[in-house]
């Protein structure tokens, strides 16, 4: 019997090819999004599956109690905790500490900014990171590189035994190379540095119990040891450590153990968290997939019921021949399952098409291997979706009465009312329109950040990473190039999050302090970037001797926000005032700059300090005359090859840097794909509704045409009910879409507005797509020959 169901299902699907293609594509779109979510969920459980003994390895968390008695969980801990656990508790087999940060490393004048982890010797055994060659980094000034970092630094040659340089740590010897790191790991880094390499200032953190954000602590218990021993010991350690501590705003903290097996998916959002997945992210992804699939299921219901008139007589004959209702339901649901399995195949092909997209690789399926279990889940999910999609049509179609359908197919009503189906259409278009408004708001904000006026010159400005080349030598060479108008130097590029962050005081000890961004610049920077001095003077010209009290490094420029933060009042009153940087360096304010946006638009303008520090310069900012861009760029490339032949020329126009930094095209493209799928599915659902209605009213259309009705009148008659559905969907989606867009924009201190250009454009697209779908079908119905529809009369 089952074989007959499948054979008949294939015959019916082949007979109605257009109906089948529409349903397969619709279901495939929804299933594809669900497959992405299922793959990412599997990947979330794959995190850390390479660690040895994960069942007895734990990461220690710190629960910090604020002054308002709020408890905030941190993934990090004070560094002395590991030593106490290893020394005083016999049930602890090993402990490992990890400190992660970014730094610049230099190899043969090649300078690269890499993420690194400072690790204890036990890191390699507790967490089980394997080496492809060499030895672990256990001695001072040693490191192990990832394969990618080794290739960037040394090409294809063997890096073991070679050295890299860090301005603070000095020369570092490479002792080994990791095997390729698992993508699904909560720790991501480019090299692992031995903990003994850290400077004296960093070593202070290793004995400071107040620094609970310093790094991460991992504990491996001995075999057959109950975790309850560790859980009892941790609060006691925290109580002893904090007994005599005085925090600035916190009341205290305590520790707890997190099993390595429970690291991902995470049930809570941790401060100083690592790369593990959270249940919230997975639930959001699966919800998006299920909503998309639900829209496709609505379509299947609508299109199947729209075709019910052609199946009514089949049902009547089968019932007269002795078929019972459950057999008819089984037949229709078998068709639905076959359709869903076909949709799974199409969904997998769609998945292969979008798999190379950077967003998909980075956030969804990167590093996840599909196995037999996953394919069983996919097939089971597809069959379940088919059964759910086919239940309502099977229930309705199997309920037809033979006497009614065999007497006359015309005038048959599937439902006495179609309010439910109209509601489905409204829901489909409302969801699609809300997604489109939110997406357009995001795209406009990202384009705004990529192209807006930041308050400094970016047009015709070329940023050149120095990568070890002396900035003054390169600047002197570039100043002789035709078309180069001015050259300046800086430690960072404006327009993103980078920059040193420090504290400034009016007195060396005590008194008010503010946090400020600090950039190193030369005396040409203000003029080159077209910044405005409100009071005072620019940084003084550099001299041969910059070591005295009047050296340029003693003077700073601040912005208006820094003046406001210190409550100075008038900017002129600030000039000449002394400040202390990081409690150790006394500087004098030379001038005050007009506020400009030197960070991203996520933040309001922050206090800013510009200071002459040649050792910190990392970029040259080259202003090029309009019309001379090509010739000047070619000349600059020749100079670079002469001065630094082993380092690629990595200059970038400032406008291109801002656009690439803020446009996020990959994210927008992926979200546009999802929104396009939602709209396509909604239009297919509308097509099913229009098809059903026009077929049930075909005799009415014939009579009206005989009575003299024009084609445009018939089109309006058939279309108005559906246009009302689109207008209702628009009325529902506009306020909800506005709220969804503002929920995103509120994260930015400076953002676009959601006005007519956003809402009007989305409504216009809704009416355009919906109107086209309605118009094509109703136009065909209006052109039908009345003789065909009235022949039976």
């Amino acid at each position: 019997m089952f074989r007959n169901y499948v054979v008949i299902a294939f015959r019916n699907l082949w007979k109605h090819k257009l109906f089948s293609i529409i349903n397969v594509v619709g279901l495939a779109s929804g299933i594809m999004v669900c497959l992405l979510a299922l793959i990412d969920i599997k990947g979330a459980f794959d995190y850390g599956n390479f660690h040895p003994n994960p069942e007895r390895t734990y990461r220690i968390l710190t629960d910090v109690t604020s002054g308002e008695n709020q408890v905030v969980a941190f993934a990090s801990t004070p560094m002395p905790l590991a030593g106490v656990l290893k020394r005083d508790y016999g049930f602890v087999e090993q402990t490992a500490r990890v400190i992660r940060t970014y730094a610049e490393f230099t190899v043969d004048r090649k300078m690269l900014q890499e993420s690194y982890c400072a690790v204890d010797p036990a890191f390699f055994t507790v967490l089980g990171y394997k080496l492809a060659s060499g030895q672990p980094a256990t001695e001072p000034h040693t490191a192990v590189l990832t394969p990618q970092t080794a290739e960037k630094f040394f090409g294809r040659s063997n890096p073991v035994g070679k050295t890299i340089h860090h301005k603070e740590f000095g020369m570092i010897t490479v002792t080994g190379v990791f095997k390729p790191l698992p993508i699904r790991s909560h720790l991501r880094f480019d090299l692992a540095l031995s903990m003994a390499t850290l400077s004296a200032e960093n070593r202070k953190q290793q004995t400071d119990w107040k620094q609970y954000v310093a790094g991460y602590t991992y504990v491996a218990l001995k075999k057959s040891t109950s975790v309850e021993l560790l859980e009892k010991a941790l609060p006691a350690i925290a109580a002893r450590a904090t007994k005599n501590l005085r925090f600035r705003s916190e009341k205290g903290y305590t520790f707890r153990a997190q099993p390595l097996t429970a690291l991902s998916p995470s049930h809570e959002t941790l401060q100083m968290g690592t790369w593990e997945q959270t249940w919230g992210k997975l639930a959001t992804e699966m919800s998006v997939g299920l909503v998309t699939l639900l829209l496709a299921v609505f379509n299947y219901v609508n299109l199947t019921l729209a075709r019910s008139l052609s199946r009514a007589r089949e049902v009547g004959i089968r019932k007269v021949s002795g078929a019972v209702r459950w057999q008819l339901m089984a037949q229709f649901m078998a068709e639905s399952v076959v359709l869903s399995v076909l949709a799974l195949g199409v969904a997998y092909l769609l998945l292969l098409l979008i798999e190379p997209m950077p967003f998909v690789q980075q956030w969804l399926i990167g590093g996840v291997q599909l196995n037999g279990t996953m394919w069983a889940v996919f097939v089971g999910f597809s069959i379940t979706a088919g059964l759910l999609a086919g239940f309502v049509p099977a229930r309705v179609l199997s309920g037809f009465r033979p006497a009614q359908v065999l007497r006359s197919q015309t005038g048959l009503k599937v439902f006495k009312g179609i309010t439910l189906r109209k509601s489905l259409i409204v829901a489909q278009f409302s969801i699609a329109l809300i997604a489109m408004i939110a997406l357009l708001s995001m795209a406009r904000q990202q384009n705004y950040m990529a192209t807006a006026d930041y308050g400094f010159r970016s047009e015709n400005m070329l940023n050149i990473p120095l990568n070890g080349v002396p900035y003054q030598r390169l600047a002197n060479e570039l100043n002789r190039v035709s078309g180069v108008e001015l050259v300046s130097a800086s430690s960072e590029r404006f327009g993103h999050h980078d920059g040193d962050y420090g504290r400034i005081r009016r007195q060396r000890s005590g008194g008010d302090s503010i946090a400020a961004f600090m950039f190193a610049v030369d005396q040409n920077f203000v003029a080159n970037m077209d910044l405005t001095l409100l009071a005072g003077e620019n940084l003084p010209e550099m001299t041969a001797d910059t070591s005295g009290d009047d050296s340029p490094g003693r003077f700073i420029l601040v912005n208006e926000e820094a003046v406001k933060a210190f409550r100075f009042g008038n900017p002129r009153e600030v000039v000449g005032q002394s400040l202390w940087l990081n409690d150790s360096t006394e500087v004098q304010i030379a001038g005050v700059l007009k506020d400009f946006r030197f960070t991203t638009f996520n933040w309001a303008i922050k206090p800013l300090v510009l200071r002459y520090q040649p050792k910190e310069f990392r970029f040259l900012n080259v202003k090029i005359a309009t019309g001379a861009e090509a010739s000047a760029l070619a000349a600059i490339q020749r100079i670079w090859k002469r001065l630094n032949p082993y380092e690629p020329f990595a200059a970038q126009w400032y406008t291109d840097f801002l656009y690439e930094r803020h446009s996020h095209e990959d994210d927008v493209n992926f979200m546009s794909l999802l929104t396009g799928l939602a709209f396509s599915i909604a239009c297919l659902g509308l097509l099913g509704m229009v098809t059903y209605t026009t077929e049930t009213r075909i005799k009415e259309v014939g009579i009206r045409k005989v009575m003299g009705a024009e084609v445009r009148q018939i089109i309006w008659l058939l279309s108005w009910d559906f246009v009302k559905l689109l207008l209702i969907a628009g009325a529902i989606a506009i306020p909800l879409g506005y709220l969804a867009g503002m929920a995103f924009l509120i994260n930015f201190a400076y953002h676009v507005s959601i006005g007519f250009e956003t809402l009007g454009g989305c409504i216009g697209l809704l009416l355009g797509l919906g109107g086209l779908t309605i118009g094509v079908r109703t136009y065909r119905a209006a052109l039908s020959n009345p003789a065909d529809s009235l022949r039976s009369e």
Side-chain angles (χ1 to χ4, degrees), residues 105 107 110 112 114 145 148-155 164:
F105 297 89
V107 177
K110 181 188 297 182
L112 295 173
E114 307 292 339
L145 310 182
Q148 295 82 359
T149 306
E151 185 172 353
K152 282 194 292 185
F153 279 153
F154 303 104
I164 59 178

Side-chain angles (χ1 to χ4, degrees), residues 445 448-449 454 495-498 501 515-517 519 559-562 564-565 595-608 745-751:
Q445 173 65 22
Y448 170 60
M449 294 191 297
Y454 280 71
H496 63 143
H497 289 96
D498 281 353
Y501 208 58
F517 279 92
F519 290 83
N559 65 348
E560 293 176 277
E561 189 61 31
K564 295 176 185 176
D595 279 341
F596 63 97
R597 297 162 180 166
F598 58 91
T599 60
T600 69
F601 284 16
N602 298 68
W603 301 335
I605 295 175
K606 304 289 185 181
L608 171 67
L745 296 178
I746 201 172
N747 295 303
F748 299 89
Y750 310 101
H751 57 76

Side-chain angles (χ1 to χ4, degrees), residues 494-533:
F494 289 159
H496 63 143
H497 289 96
D498 281 353
D500 288 335
Y501 208 58
R503 301 205 69 82
I504 309 174
R505 293 182 181 273
R506 298 184 67 173
Q507 293 87 31
R508 183 167 188 173
S509 60
D512 294 338
S513 69
I514 64 170
F517 279 92
M518 300 182 186
F519 290 83
V521 301
D522 68 357
Q523 68 278 358
N524 293 329
F525 188 80
V526 171
N528 202 17
M529 302 304 291
D530 200 20
L531 305 180
T532 303
L533 267 172

Side-chain angles (χ1 to χ4, degrees), residues 285-586:
E285 292 173 1
M286 199 64 209
S287 297
V288 171
L290 291 177
V291 168
T292 309
L293 182 61
L294 187 62
L295 297 179
V297 169
F298 288 170
N299 279 1
Y300 181 81
V301 173
N302 284 342
L303 289 171
T304 302
L305 295 181
R307 202 168 60 89
S308 61
L309 298 181
S310 62
R311 305 292 299 273
R313 184 160 296 181
E314 173 191 344
V315 171
I317 294 174
R318 285 178 178 273
K319 281 195 169 184
V320 169
S321 301
V324 296
R325 187 169 187 175
W326 71 266
Q327 292 173 319
L328 293 172
M329 288 187 64
Q331 172 62 55
F332 290 121
M333 294 186 74
E335 292 183 19
S336 176
V337 170
V338 168
L339 201 69
S340 182
V341 172
L342 292 175
L344 175 62
V346 177
Y348 182 69
L349 295 178
L350 293 175
L351 189 64
L352 294 179
L353 288 177
I354 70 168
E355 185 178 5
M357 294 179 67
F359 182 91
V360 176
Q361 281 295 322
Q362 181 177 0
W363 297 109
L364 296 176
I365 66 177
V368 180
Q369 301 295 325
L370 298 183
N371 51 28
T373 302
M374 280 302 296
W375 274 109
V377 171
F378 290 168
V379 173
F381 182 84
S382 175
I383 292 174
T384 302
L387 292 174
L388 293 176
F391 178 77
V392 173
R395 180 85 177 169
V396 173
L397 296 178
S398 63
F400 286 162
R401 297 179 179 177
Q404 180 185 12
V405 298
L406 294 177
R407 180 170 59 248
S408 174
Q409 277 187 266
T410 58
L412 179 67
K413 296 288 185 180
V414 178
F415 294 134
K416 293 182 179 179
I418 54 173
T419 304
L420 174 62
R421 299 181 62 221
K422 287 182 178 179
S423 300
L424 298 184
I425 295 297
V426 171
Q428 285 179 313
F429 276 98
S430 296
I431 293 171
L433 190 56
I434 291 170
M436 174 161 286
I437 294 173
L439 173 64
L440 186 56
S441 301
M442 294 169 61
R444 290 186 62 237
Q445 173 65 22
Q446 288 164 350
N447 183 70
Y448 170 60
M449 294 191 297
T451 60
D453 180 11
Y454 280 71
F456 58 84
R457 179 185 286 117
S458 59
E459 293 291 335
N460 289 4
M461 187 67 68
L462 188 68
N463 288 323
I464 305 176
L466 290 171
N467 289 340
V469 177
Y471 95 94
Q472 194 61 60
R473 181 183 179 186
L474 181 58
N476 292 337
E477 294 278 355
L478 297 184
N479 277 319
R480 292 194 287 267
V481 174
S482 176
V484 172
E485 296 184 344
L486 192 60
V487 178
S488 61
S490 63
S491 58
E492 297 290 348
R493 293 167 292 187
F494 289 159
H496 63 143
H497 289 96
D498 281 353
D500 288 335
Y501 208 58
R503 301 205 69 82
I504 309 174
R505 293 182 181 273
R506 298 184 67 173
Q507 293 87 31
R508 183 167 188 173
S509 60
D512 294 338
S513 69
I514 64 170
F517 279 92
M518 300 182 186
F519 290 83
V521 301
D522 68 357
Q523 68 278 358
N524 293 329
F525 188 80
V526 171
N528 202 17
M529 302 304 291
D530 200 20
L531 305 180
T532 303
L533 267 172
L534 297 178
E537 299 177 348
N538 189 16
L539 296 175
E541 293 285 338
M542 65 178 182
T543 60
D545 180 13
T546 61
S547 60
D549 292 339
D550 294 328
S551 67
R554 182 176 181 271
F555 295 94
I556 63 171
L557 298 175
V558 298
N559 65 348
E560 293 176 277
E561 189 61 31
V563 175
K564 295 176 185 176
F566 271 128
R567 303 181 182 90
F568 274 122
N570 193 307
R572 292 185 179 86
E573 300 174 4
V574 179
V575 177
Q577 296 278 354
S578 292
L579 297 174
W580 288 88
L581 304 182
N582 298 321
D583 302 335
S584 60
T585 305
E586 185 179 14

